[in-house]
Amino acid sequence: MALASPIVTLDEYPRLEQEHKMHLKDFTPRLYQESIFNTCTLHNTLVVLPTGIGKTAIFLMMAAYRLNLYPKSKILLLGPTRPLIEQYYEVFKKHFNIDESRMAIFTGFVAPEKRQELWKNAQIVFSTPQGLENDIMSSRISLVDVSLLGFDECHRSTGDYSYNFVAKQYMKKALYPRILGLTASPGSDNEKIREVCSNLFIEKIEIRTVDDVDVNPYVQDVEIEKVFVELPDVFKDIKRYFDNTIKSKTRELENYGFVSRNLQYSKKNLLGLQAAIHAKIAKGEKNFEILKSVSLLAEIMKIQHAVELLETQGFEQLREYMDKLQHEAAAGKTKATQNLVKDINFRSAYIKLQHTNAEHPKLLELKRIIEEELDNSIEENASKKIIIFSQYRNSGSRITKMVNDSGFKAKLFVGQAKKKDTGLSQKKQKEMLEQFSISDFNVLVSSSVGEEGLDIPQVDLVIFYEPVPSAIRKIQRSGRTGRLEKGKIIMLITKDTIDEVYYHVARNKEKRMYRSIDVIKNNAQLSNFNNEKEDDANSTSTLHDYSEKKIKEEKANETFKIIADYREKGSNVLKEIIDKNINLRLEKLSIGDFLLSSRVIIEYKTVQDFVDSIIDGRLLTQLKELKKYEKPILIIEGNEDIYSVRRIHPNAIRGMLITITVSYGIPIIQTKHAKETAEILIMIAKKEQLDEKTEITYHFAKPLSLKEQQEYFISALPNIGMGGARPLLKHFKSVKNIVNASEKELQDVDLIGPKKSKALKDVFDEEWKE
């Protein structure tokens, strides 16, 4: 249990508040930042501020304050992307009195060994979460001395995102924990916001909007304009074919009795219905009606996506999607796609699309807006900067071409994933933003990668090519303008289409978000973590006593350990094991996934992976390798129906299960989830290493160092194990000396009696016979 921060008396507080400013340079906090900072000094705090008005500055102040309280501690700030991490570094370099050598950046581009080395000397670290999560699992770094942990864009702290694991380990291990969560939009409903607060152990929420009196003086006016366009008749003609397709599919679906006739066929409802039917299949219901219903749902969702492309993007994007469906059907990928392309209405829409060539009215309206905003005859327009957000990459490419063809300069800003040569490395992204900042080009056409956190100053106009149904994304897009000067937002909306629905959905979600925050903010208890933390703060235990307690706990857990293959890093099973404070080591195992003793090796598979490994043939090879251990075990995890996850005959699966248990004699343990798998592994490791006194060895695991190779070699000798290998090496200094020692000399080592020494000499001296 982490030790709470020491209680600061009222007399000391003003002194510490002033001293923290000694760490800062060229920095004057605003009134609302000071007010929020005061809360953050006393509680784990979620800070919700509009984009561009100084969330990072609050972390800057907190870093200075915590280093005054704990001069030898470390400060850690996490952000989701490399460009964001580099921005934090530049802010601290500019405003924090610290030698640059005492700051470090951790990303996937920094090797794990280098991160471990940097961690030892750095006092302020900026990191992406995934690599840091692996470093914690591998024990390359320790969070014990971190006095402040920040999570930027902390609305991501849901599900299995790495922030959650890091926060949990930090609150368990840090001697003086303090967490600061930063976001412009934590979520649109009560449940989502509570999840973020729970995962980050939040105790207080500080929220400001542009309308708050202490924030408003620092906020520039932002004009919001909605520009409506009409869907042309030729678009409506094709849409009618799609509507007819959906009607025929929904009627058929309703006849099978799984949906009510008044169901609203929204994307959310369809996904929920699909999940409910899949749950029935998992329980063994596999009649024609239920399987046909699943296929019909998939067809309806594909058509709805086609309608969305038609209404919001244009013919080129729709044509590309329908061509893709045709290719998938020809390749026999899914029955749903094959049925869909045979549908008479779908075929009619596809044929009409091939003979029609018209631009979406939004693209034409966008061309007019750009020409008006960047009119070359007006000198002040030369340095204007415009960001156009587009949901789809192919639309982004088309918009970029249109702007450049109009005589202006535009570049497409997208993520790293390659698609039609439009992917950008993070280095290229950074270069492009720098060029945009100095007006090398006027228009940045961005996918969602430009929505979150990037510092792009003085953007004059933000254009939504289409509304998005997310409060978080709407807030982030809007926050790109109105930072230093007056800004403007234009939303392009196609009348009577999904565009209008998404616009209203996002607006309502944003309103609901602020209402939810107010409700949660007024709750006395935000966090559900162990109340022992408060007890620690009120107890008379000293830091020394606490450290002694931690050392004893760690030694107790060192009595047994689990070795996991390093390729399992990021697995929820590993997180569960670490959460139990078990001594876990990540190594490169040539056989299996978890080594629990010299006898027990575990091959771990999810239900999906198990069936996949039957199909691709690797399972039999893995089983043969497992038999090199005395007691191999196969664990299959998951609630899915093993006979339904892939199109494979049930007898093939049954035959493999029989082969595993009868032919190979390998027991199978089935678990429901990662937590249960971890519990099983821990119980086996305890039984083997503590009850059976069986040492864990590196047999068939690739050693990582010379020392480990020597231990590996000696531990493989009869009745030696790791417990005997180390005393032998410590006594004789080398493998050669052990081999050359006499029986009597071997018996001088603890744990080596006459029987063991004779067995060793037999191995060393007897002639090998074929």
Side-chain angles (χ1 to χ4, degrees), residues 20 95 143 164 173 232 280 324 392 412 443 461 523 572 589 749:
H20 88 270
H95 294 299
L143 298 173
N164 306 342
K173 296 177 180 177
K280 289 178 180 290
K324 176 172 169 279
Y392 298 96
L412 182 63
V443 181
L461 171 63
N523 247 348
N572 286 332
L589 298 179
V749 179

Side-chain angles (χ1 to χ4, degrees), residues 89-107:
Y89 182 87
E90 292 301 321
V91 169
F92 270 71
K93 192 164 76 170
K94 182 178 179 181
H95 294 299
F96 208 87
N97 280 315
I98 190 170
D99 192 287
E100 281 186 47
S101 64
R102 301 283 285 161
M103 296 196 297
I105 290 177
F106 285 13
T107 69

Side-chain angles (χ1 to χ4, degrees), residues 335-351:
K335 197 71 175 173
T337 309
Q338 290 175 319
N339 289 337
L340 182 59
V341 300
K342 292 175 187 175
D343 183 272
I344 184 64
N345 285 300
F346 181 92
R347 292 208 314 270
S348 299
Y350 188 61
I351 292 167

Side-chain angles (χ1 to χ4, degrees), residues 46-57:
L46 171 65
V47 176
V48 183
L49 281 175
T51 301
I53 64 168
K55 293 189 294 291
T56 309

Side-chain angles (χ1 to χ4, degrees), residues 488-535:
K488 185 177 180 181
I489 296 169
I490 293 178
M491 291 189 180
L492 295 173
I493 302 171
T494 312
K495 285 183 181 178
D496 301 319
T497 70
I498 197 70
D499 270 352
E500 284 199 279
V501 175
Y502 284 170
Y503 169 76
H504 291 293
V505 165
R507 191 175 66 166
N508 291 334
K509 282 183 177 179
E510 187 175 1
K511 290 177 181 177
R512 193 162 66 243
M513 179 187 82
Y514 290 120
R515 287 197 301 269
S516 297
I517 291 172
D518 282 339
V519 170
I520 296 171
K521 182 180 177 182
N522 295 325
N523 247 348
Q525 184 66 28
L526 277 169
S527 179
N528 62 358
F529 60 92
N530 200 320
N531 287 329
E532 288 176 18
K533 179 170 166 285
E534 294 178 10
D535 297 336

Side-chain angles (χ1 to χ4, degrees), residues 84-129:
L84 273 173
I85 291 301
E86 290 174 345
Q87 282 179 199
Y88 309 147
Y89 182 87
E90 292 301 321
V91 169
F92 270 71
K93 192 164 76 170
K94 182 178 179 181
H95 294 299
F96 208 87
N97 280 315
I98 190 170
D99 192 287
E100 281 186 47
S101 64
R102 301 283 285 161
M103 296 196 297
I105 290 177
F106 285 13
T107 69
F109 291 91
V110 182
E113 295 76 16
K114 181 64 175 175
R115 293 199 298 264
Q116 184 176 15
E117 182 186 329
L118 288 169
W119 182 263
K120 293 175 184 175
N121 300 315
Q123 191 161 30
I124 301 178
V125 175
F126 310 96
S127 179
T128 48

Side-chain angles (χ1 to χ4, degrees), residues 472-483:
I472 290 174
R473 294 183 63 194
K474 175 184 177 291
I475 290 167
Q476 289 172 332
R477 282 185 175 191
S478 302
R480 301 302 105 196
T481 188
R483 292 189 170 198

